[in-house]
Amino acid sequence: WRALAATFGAAILSALVFGLPPAFRLTSLGPRAGRARTVFLGAQVAVSCLLLVVSGLLVNSRARLGATDPGFDYRHLVWISPDLKAHGYGEPAALAYLDLLRARTAALPGVKAASRAWLGPWGDFHMGADWKGRQFDGNHVDPQFLDTMGMRLVHGRNFRPGEDGVANISEATARVLWPDQDALGKSLPWDPPGKTVIGVARNASTTHVGNREPLEFYLPPSPSEAPDSVVLVRVSGSPRDFVRRLQDTARGLDQRLQPTVQVVTDAYDREMEKASTALAVIAILGTAANLLSVIGLAGLAGYTVAQRTREIGLRIALGARASHVVRDILSPMSRPIIIGFLCGALGGSAVATVLRSGIPTMSGINVLNPLPYAMAMVFFAAVVALSILAPARRATRINPIQALPHE
C-alpha cells in the first residue's frame, strides 16, 4: 500500500505541477491561442474518459474474475515439485521416484487423490501450441489427473496406463477446432501430428486464472519430461495443513532433495492481487487525468469570463438570466468536451479489447457493457459542473455598471 500511496502522491503532484501553470496562463493568452486551448482541452477530456471507461471495465472484470468457476477443485489442491532434474535424475530414475512419491502421498491420511503432471496448475511455466492465431495450452498428465483435479469428462474416455498417441481436450478447444462436429477421433492439427482425441473434458482453466475460454489439451505423460514433473495432490480440509507432511514424504525418498510444495490457492491470490494492482494503477492515472481536466476546464471558463466581462455585463443589464450566462460560458467548451468524450470512450473500448485478448485474466472484460460508459458520462458531467462552478458564479455576479467600461 505504501507503493500505491507514493504513486498516487506522485500523480497528484505531477498534475498540479504540469497542470496549474498552463491553466494560470490561459487568462493571458490572446485570440490566436484559442485553437490550441481547444485541442488541449479535448485531449485532456479524451484521456480522462479513456481512463474512466477502462477503470469501469476493469472493475467489472475484477468482479467477474472473482466469481468465475475455474472448473477444478483448486481450494484443496497442492503440488509437489521435487526438482529432480537439478539433482541429476535421469528419465528412469525420475519415473521411479515420481511413481513412488505418488503412491506414498496417496496413502497419507486426508489425501483424496494424487497424480503426476509435467506442469502444475497456475504455475509460471506453460506448454502451448499455435493454430490459426489462437493459443492452446497443454500439459502431459497421467490417467489420475482428472480425478485429482476434480475435473470430469463430458464425452469419450480417459487415458489408459501406458497409452500413447492420444489426447483429451477441453470443451472450448473442441468448439474452436471442430465447431458443430464431434471431436472424438479427430487429430490435433498441430505438430507433432498423430494425437487422436479420445475424450472431451469439462472446461477448466488450469493454466491461467479466470480464463473464460480455456483452450486446453492434455497428453499422456512423456518419459522425457519426468525429471521436470510434479505430483498433484488433492486433500480434504485446509491444504496448508499438509505442506510439511508432503515435504517430509518427498524428502524421505531422497534426503538430497529440497522439494517445494505449492498451495494452488496462493497462485489464485497472486493473480487476484495482480488484477487489483492493475485496477489501482488505472484509477490513480484516472484521478490525475481528471484533476488535469478540472484545471483545464476551470482555466478556460475563467478565461471566457475574463474576455467577455463587458458582454456579460451588458446582457445582464438587458435582463439576461443566469442560465443564459452559464450557457454562453459553456458554449466554447462544448465541442471539445463532446469530441473528447467520444474519442475517450472509443479509446477505452480499444484498450480494453487489447487487454482482453492479451491477458488471460482479463478475458472477462465485456467491452459492450454499457454501465462503465454511462458511469463515465455521469462522472465527467459532475467534473464539468465542478470545474465551471466558480467561474459561472463569478459571471452571474458581474455588476453591469462596472463591467461596461471594462476592456
Side-chain angles (χ1 to χ4, degrees), residues 118-160:
W118 184 29
L119 303 171
W122 297 341
D124 296 328
F125 300 99
H126 309 291
M127 163 186 145
D130 291 315
W131 185 76
K132 292 186 177 181
R134 304 295 295 269
Q135 177 69 33
F136 295 79
D137 297 303
N139 200 354
H140 287 275
V141 301
D142 67 8
Q144 291 77 30
F145 174 79
L146 295 179
D147 182 46
T148 303
M149 294 285 288
M151 299 165 55
R152 62 182 179 87
L153 289 173
V154 295
H155 194 29
R157 65 173 179 85
N158 196 5
F159 307 142
R160 297 190 180 98

Side-chain angles (χ1 to χ4, degrees), residues 343-367:
C343 291
L346 293 174
S349 176
V351 170
T353 301
V354 171
L355 290 174
R356 182 179 64 179
S357 61
I359 304 176
T361 52
M362 299 295 181
S363 62
I365 293 178
N366 180 12
V367 295

Side-chain angles (χ1 to χ4, degrees), residues 47-69:
V47 172
S48 299
C49 290
L50 183 151
L51 293 171
L52 283 174
V53 169
V54 173
S55 297
L57 291 172
L58 284 179
V59 168
N60 181 260
S61 174
R62 171 65 172 77
R64 296 180 68 178
L65 177 62
T68 299
D69 177 16

Side-chain angles (χ1 to χ4, degrees), residues 47-104:
V47 172
S48 299
C49 290
L50 183 151
L51 293 171
L52 283 174
V53 169
V54 173
S55 297
L57 291 172
L58 284 179
V59 168
N60 181 260
S61 174
R62 171 65 172 77
R64 296 180 68 178
L65 177 62
T68 299
D69 177 16
F72 66 96
D73 187 15
Y74 75 96
R75 297 185 185 278
H76 301 94
L77 195 66
V78 298
W79 45 277
I80 310 168
S81 176
D83 200 11
L84 300 178
K85 187 175 183 179
H87 290 82
Y89 274 71
E91 294 177 12
L95 287 171
Y97 176 90
L98 292 170
D99 287 342
L100 185 56
L101 177 60
R102 184 178 61 80
R104 292 281 182 88

